[in-house]
């Protein structure tokens, strides 16, 4: 089997490779050629940790496996480690033998950013010029970099509960030669594309804060109970997702579905737009909303690409197992 350590991921995985792998696997999911297995997520009752598995099989791409990991809230303070810890395991779909073990921490950030970037590529207006980011935590930096590659944005605006943390986004905008402005949440009405990437349990972005024609990529809600945007936005927007089953149970759509203002049938898998079997945006004033819940197949698709590159570059460690 091959091992690709976490320390090598930064030099091996480009944003473009992550984008291509995620776009392809979303398309395969919509065609029924790839499926995610039910997610397991458990509170361990130890170190206040949440631990779980996200797995799947992509028959088209040949990726079988799972990502194991979770959230250890005391890691940073007690051990100097990051709180999110995960590892991807890939198996040979023909024999069941383990093929690779891949560091999953940076990979998760890159595959999550790739998902919202794919949604922007396929759903945002082509004349989108102002990019808005709600949230300035760890993931937000990856989100901003990937989004900037999808349209010729000429301005970035940001909102965070603690405005002092917006420096992280301002620095990335500056790297790209773009002006950055910290705004009130109402100021998000100026944005053509808005990414929400917070761990909120109550909506912060409401209908009044979103202009007609905006594309929203809601990326923070990946757990039952979390919520970033007003449920009424989902009732009036055209809603797209990575996987409908996750969107209605643990994604941003869970609240509108529970309130009876959105049905699972009204949610379109983004892969169907990528495949061309369902139209994406149908008008310049339409609000499109991508509910990015994060599926195991994203991790497997990106990890499978990464293993090939690591072997080619001599950076994968071979173990007789
Ligand atoms: P982080 O802890 O580094 O940052 C959290 C962000 O949420 C900060 O900007 C913080 O200000 C904001 N926030 C928290 N509570 C808030 C509140 N009540 N009101 C307003 N803002 C609030 O976390 P991160 O690593 O950047 O992750 C952000 C979210 O993305 C988490 O919910 C995480 O679970 C989720 N996530 C989703 C995927 C996916 O595939 N969809 C993948 C990775 C992470």
């Amino acid at each position: 089997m091959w091992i690709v350590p976490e320390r090598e991921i930064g030099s091996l995985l480009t944003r473009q490779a992550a984008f291509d792998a995620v776009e392809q696997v979303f398309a395969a999911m919509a065609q029924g050629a790839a499926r995610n297995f039910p997610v397991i997520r458990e509170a361990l009752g130890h170190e206040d940790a949440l631990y779980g598995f996200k797995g799947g099989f992509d028959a088209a791409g040949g990726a079988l496996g799972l990502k194991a990991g979770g959230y250890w809230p005391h890691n940073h303070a007690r051990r100097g480690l990051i709180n999110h810890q995960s590892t991807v395991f890939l198996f040979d779909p023909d024999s069941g033998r383990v093929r690779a073990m891949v560091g999953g921490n940076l990979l998760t950030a890159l595959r999550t950013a790739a998902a919202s970037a794919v949604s922007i590529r396929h759903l945002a207006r082509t004349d989108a010029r102002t990019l808005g980011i709600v949230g300035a935590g760890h993931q937000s930096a990856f989100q901003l970099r990937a989004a900037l590659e999808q349209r010729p944005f000429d301005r970035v605006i940001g909102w965070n509960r603690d405005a002092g943390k917006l420096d992280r986004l301002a620095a990335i905008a500056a790297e790209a030669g773009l002006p950055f402005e910290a705004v009130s949440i109402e100021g998000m009405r100026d944005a053509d594309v808005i990414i929400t990437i917070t761990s909120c349990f109550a909506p912060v972005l409401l209908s009044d804060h979103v202009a007609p024609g905006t594309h929203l990529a809601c990326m923070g809600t990946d757990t039952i109970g979390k919520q970033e945007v007003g449920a009424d936005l989902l009732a009036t927007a055209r809603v797209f997702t990575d996987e409908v089953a996750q969107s209605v149970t643990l994604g941003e759509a869970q609240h509108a579905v529970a309130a009876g203002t959105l049905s699972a049938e009204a949610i379109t898998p983004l892969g169907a737009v990528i495949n061309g079997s369902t139209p994406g945006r149908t008008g310049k004033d339409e609000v499109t909303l991508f509910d990015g819940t994060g599926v195991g197949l994203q991790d497997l698709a990106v990890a499978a690409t990464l293993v090939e590159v690591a072997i080619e570059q001599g950076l994968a460690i071979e173990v007789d197992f």
Side-chain angles (χ1 to χ4, degrees), residues 209-229:
H209 310 148
V210 176
T214 302
H215 172 62
L216 292 156
C218 300
M219 304 305 297
T221 298
D222 55 358
T223 305
I224 293 170
K226 282 188 185 170
Q227 183 174 13
E228 299 186 285
V229 308

Side-chain angles (χ1 to χ4, degrees), residues 84 108 111-112 135-140 159-161 197-200 204 219-220 222 226 292-294:
H84 287 276
T108 297
R111 68 77 146 143
T112 306
H138 179 70
Q139 303 292 332
S140 66
W159 177 88
N160 193 49
R161 182 174 53 171
I197 185 72
T198 68
S199 44
C200 288
V204 286
M219 304 305 297
D222 55 358
K226 282 188 185 170
T293 65

